[in-house]
Amino acid sequence: QVQLVESGGGLVQAGGSLRLSCAASGSIFSINAMGWYRQAPGKQRELVASITKRGILDYADSVKGRFTISKDNAWNAVYLQMNSLKPEDTAVYYCNAVVATSAYSSRMYWGQGTQVTVSS
């Protein structure tokens, strides 16, 4: 089993910053990719940013230039630096990881989610 533990959410004023962290632990053979998704009330969950083990980055257009995803050297944690936050960034943010549990199998795991609220 693999666990993803998120931290760093909270309440911030528009224009402010927050940094989310996600640590992976458990039966990990290797991590192929990690990322952050978010889900606002009444909306579908959407990709915010992702990073592969080779360092390939992907961002939603709505956060480009404001958010930065990074990983630690051990490749078992991922971070999301969120700057210039807007009220429309308000959502529950979920950490996601594509984990190989053996040389032949992988699956996707999700964290429990952390609330980010941006006040205007």
Side-chain angles (χ1 to χ4, degrees), residues 59-105:
Y59 292 96
D61 288 342
S62 60
V63 307
K64 284 180 180 177
R66 300 188 297 122
F67 291 11
T68 302
I69 190 169
S70 61
K71 60 182 180 68
D72 71 342
N73 290 335
W75 190 211
N76 58 10
V78 66
Y79 311 98
L80 186 67
Q81 179 66 42
M82 305 185 294
N83 298 329
S84 302
L85 282 160
K86 304 176 181 180
E88 51 263 44
D89 294 318
T90 295
V92 177
Y93 284 70
Y94 296 91
C95 179
N96 166 277
V98 178
V99 178
T101 52
S102 73
Y104 309 102
S105 65

